[in-house]
Amino acid sequence: MTAAPVWSVDPRTGKRREQVAVEATAQDVDAAVRAAHAARGALTDRTVRAAFLRSAAAGLDAARDGLVEAADAETALGPARLTGELARTTYQLRAFADIVDEGGFLDVIIDHPDATATPPVPDLRRYKVPLGVVAVYSASNFPFAFSVAGGDTASALAAGCPVVVKAHPDHPALSERVVEVLRRAAAEHGIPEGVAGLVHGFDAGVALIGHPLVAAAGFTGSVRGGRALFDAAAARPVPIPFHGELGSLNPVLVTEAAAAERAEEIGGGLAASVTLGGGQFCVKPGLVLVPSGAGGDRLVKSLTDAVGGTGPGVLLDHRMRDDFVAGAAERAQLPDVDAPVAPGADGEHTVSAGFLTVPAARLAAAGDHDLLLEECFGPVTVVARYTDEAEAEAVLSRLPGNLTATVQLSSDEAAGEGRGPELLARLTPLAGRVLVNGWPTGVAVAPAQHHGGPYPATTSTSTSVGGTAVERWLRPVVYQNAPEALLPPELRDDNPLGLPRRYDGVLER
C-alpha cells in the first residue's frame, strides 16, 4: 500500500504548494522513537545539553528569512508576526540553556543520617532525572513557538529527554526545515540526529502515543483531539503523563465602575485582543461580561467601531475557516443574540471579524445558549450584558477551567477599594493566569510565567511556557545510604558541579 502524500497548502488560496513527505507508517514511528531512545545518553552531560540548545537557537536565527518565508506561505500569519514569533522561540531555547546551566531544576536535596530523629533518618539524597522520550504534538496557530522547536521540545531537551514531534498538517514544509536545524545543531555536539524525530500523519500521532518507549507527551490543540490522546495515554499498559493544552474561553469581567471610567479604552483594547492573529490565539478573550447601562453601551460602541474597521483575514486552513463560519452563524441565530458586527465569511478564502451580544441572563442557567460558553476559534467574541453582580456571578459559576481570566477595574478598585480584591479572588479558581486591566493575548517567556489552567484548559497542573515547564519531563529519585563513590556528581557532598541544593535542611546557592 502506497503511503499517503503530505502536502504543503497555501491557506490564502487553498491550493497545494508542494509534496513535502509521506505519512509515517507504524514502522516509521517505531524507528523514530527507537532512534530518540538511543540518543538519551548523549544528553546526559548538562554542559552539552545547554550548548545544543544555544546552537539550535543560533541556527534558527541564521535561517530566519527562509523560515519566515516558509511559515508565511503555509499559515498566512504574515512576516512581522512570524519574525517576532521566531525571535520568541530562539529566546526560549536560550532561556532553557541558562536553566540547564544553573541546575536548580534538579531540586537537589541531601539529608545526612540522624539517629536522634523519630523515626531515625538514614542518608538520603534526592534529585530529578529525565523521563525518557517525549512525544510532542505541534500546534497549528504557532508554527514556531508551539511546534517543532517550541516550548515542549525546548523544555524536554533541557530536561535531558529526546523528542519525536508529530508535525502539524498546516505547516509540514516548515516542520521539515526546522527539524533539520535541530539535527545540525545536535551534530555540532556529537548528539545523534535521532534526538529530534519528526513524523507526519494522523495515524502516526496515534501510534506515537501508544509506543512503549514514549515516556511522556505534550500537546497543544483542540479539546476533542487532546482528550482522545489523553485517554489513550492513560489506557496504555503503562500510563504516561500527558500534558495537553486543549481549549479556553478566557473570560473577561468588566466592572460597572471600570466601564464608567474608561469604556472607550476597554472597547478598543478588547477589539485588538480579539482580532490579533485572526483571533487564533489560545488566550483570545471569548466571553466578556459587560454591565448594562451607559458605561457598557459606550464600551460596546467603541468595540463596534474598532472591530468594524478590521479588514478581512485568512485563517490557518480552510477547515478552520469553515468551522469558524459555521460556528459563528450557529451562535448568531440563537434567541436574543445580536451581532453589532457580524462575523463570518468574507470572500472565498477570508473571514471577517465580529462579535455577538447576549443578555447575561441567557447564560446564567443551562440551556440552548450553552454554545456561547464554548470556544469559537477565530476572530469573534461574545459580550454578555449583565444587570447586577448576582447575574455576572451566575455566569462565572458556570464556566469551565481556563488558561486566563481577566478583570477590568476602575482606578479605585485597582487600588484595593470596593470589590477589587474580592473579584481577583473570585477569578483565581477559574484560570492559571489572572490579569488585571490588561489583555490575555501575549504570553511572556519568563521564569514566573504559567501557561495552563484547570481542565479543559489543560490536562495537568503544569505550564507549557516559562522556566518551570522543564519539570513536566522529570521524575524524582532518592538514593538511600549509597556510598559516595557510587553517587552521581549532582549528589556528592563536595558539590563538584556547584548546584543549588538543600543540604541538611539549609538552602544553599
Side-chain angles (χ1 to χ4, degrees), residues 279-304:
Q280 298 172 112
F281 278 49
C282 51
V283 289
K284 178 203 74 177
L287 175 70
V288 188
L289 288 160
V290 173
S292 300
D297 291 344
R298 286 168 42 222
L299 190 158
V300 171
K301 173 64 167 57
S302 173
L303 179 62
T304 301

Side-chain angles (χ1 to χ4, degrees), residues 43-54 92-106 154-161 467 470 474 490 497-500:
L43 294 177
T44 301
D45 188 324
R46 287 189 301 113
T47 302
V48 171
R49 293 211 302 269
F52 169 33
L53 291 169
R54 292 189 177 100
Q92 184 167 240
L93 286 163
R94 293 184 176 98
F96 276 116
D98 292 343
I99 288 169
V100 172
D101 281 339
E102 191 263 349
F105 70 98
L106 296 172
S155 58
L157 293 173
C161 297
V470 70
L474 300 163
E490 290 86 352
L497 303 180
L499 295 172

Side-chain angles (χ1 to χ4, degrees), residues 104-409:
F105 70 98
L106 296 172
D107 288 343
V108 176
I109 304 174
I110 296 175
D111 289 324
H112 287 98
D114 184 357
T116 67
T118 305
V121 176
D123 187 275
L124 298 172
R125 296 165 189 252
R126 178 188 190 272
Y127 78 147
K128 291 181 177 178
V129 298
L131 288 175
V133 178
V134 172
V136 174
Y137 292 81
S138 291
S140 62
N141 55 342
F142 283 87
F144 291 120
F146 283 83
S147 294
V148 175
D152 286 347
T153 294
S155 58
L157 293 173
C161 297
V163 299
V164 177
V165 181
K166 191 273 182 187
H168 197 280
D170 280 353
H171 34 83
L174 176 68
S175 298
E176 289 285 347
R177 295 182 67 157
V178 171
V179 82
E180 284 305 314
V181 173
L182 293 182
R183 289 168 177 168
R184 286 196 297 270
E188 290 179 23
H189 303 284
I191 300 172
E193 70 171 23
V195 73
L198 183 70
V199 296
H200 297 269
F202 177 85
D203 290 342
V206 175
L208 189 58
I209 199 68
H211 197 287
L213 293 181
V214 168
F219 172 90
T220 303
S222 69
V223 173
R224 180 180 179 184
R227 183 54 195 254
L229 291 171
F230 176 61
D231 290 346
R236 290 168 39 127
V238 178
I240 59 172
F242 182 87
H243 301 285
E245 179 192 320
L246 310 188
S248 185
L249 196 60
N250 305 301
V252 177
L253 173 63
V254 181
T255 68
E256 186 173 3
E261 184 176 276
R262 49 191 183 89
E264 289 75 18
E265 175 190 334
I266 295 172
L270 174 60
S273 188
V274 168
T275 60
L276 183 65
Q280 298 172 112
F281 278 49
C282 51
V283 289
K284 178 203 74 177
L287 175 70
V288 188
L289 288 160
V290 173
S292 300
D297 291 344
R298 286 168 42 222
L299 190 158
V300 171
K301 173 64 167 57
S302 173
L303 179 62
T304 301
D305 293 343
V307 174
T310 303
V314 178
L315 298 191
L316 292 162
D317 62 40
H318 278 57
R319 176 187 59 81
M320 292 182 187
R321 177 188 178 276
D322 292 345
D323 287 347
F324 167 75
V325 171
E330 185 178 4
R331 287 164 172 81
Q333 291 167 5
L334 292 170
D336 292 331
V337 173
D338 293 321
V341 181
D346 186 331
E348 185 179 357
H349 305 293
T350 55
V351 299
S352 58
F355 72 97
L356 308 174
T357 62
V358 65
R362 281 288 195 176
L363 305 179
D368 294 340
H369 288 68
D370 286 359
L371 181 63
L372 299 178
L373 301 182
E374 297 178 12
E375 180 184 13
C376 185
F377 192 74
V380 64
T381 193
V382 174
V383 174
R385 304 294 300 271
Y386 66 90
T387 58
D388 55 32
E389 295 172 2
E391 202 167 75
E393 169 58 32
V395 177
L396 290 175
S397 69
R398 300 197 60 233
L399 298 185
N402 288 271
L403 294 170
T404 71
T406 300
V407 60
Q408 295 288 340
L409 302 174

Side-chain angles (χ1 to χ4, degrees), residues 40 251 429:
R40 291 175 303 151

